[in-house]
Amino acid sequence: MSKFTSYYQQNKTVIRLFVCSFFLHLLASILLYAKFGENVIFFENEDAHGYVSLAESVLDGRGFAWGKGFTATRTPAYPLFVAFAYALPLPNVWS
């Protein structure tokens, strides 16, 4: 018996639950996008807006600028991840 098979046998319920929840979430996202298009709001709060603002600043070439000056109030990893996601040629669902 291979390592994968034994791991699957030990964690069968958890793996099936994860796969089912993943596809349910994917289906819900597709249906929301099909109904509302790019106007789907996945998040709407100040914390998320701050990270998106920093990501847009990085993409515009201004660095970690928030407003008119630089900021050290956010860690750089997540704004860079969001900037990377924005740089991908995908539909913008965060507008």
Side-chain angles (χ1 to χ4, degrees):
M1 189 181 303
S2 70
K3 286 183 180 182
F4 175 76
T5 306
S6 65
Y7 180 81
Y8 177 75
Q9 290 299 325
Q10 291 174 351
N11 299 297
K12 190 184 313 185
T13 304
V14 174
I15 292 171
R16 286 181 180 172
L17 183 63
F18 174 79
V19 170
C20 287
S21 64
F22 172 79
F23 282 112
L24 184 63
H25 182 87
L26 182 64
L27 177 65
S29 298
I30 290 170
L31 291 175
L32 282 172
Y33 187 79
K35 181 167 177 64
F36 299 108
E38 292 187 7
N39 296 324
V40 175
I41 298 175
F42 283 103
F43 53 81
E44 185 68 40
N45 61 44
E46 278 302 312
D47 192 45
H49 177 69
Y51 285 112
V52 170
S53 174
L54 285 174
E56 290 172 344
S57 173
V58 168
L59 288 175
D60 290 341
R62 294 181 285 135
F64 285 99
W66 201 344
K68 295 183 179 182
F70 291 101
T71 181
T73 59
R74 303 275 188 205
T75 56
Y78 190 67
L80 289 175
F81 172 75
V82 174
F84 173 74
Y86 268 17
L88 295 175
L90 301 172
N92 187 1
V93 297
W94 293 314
S95 338

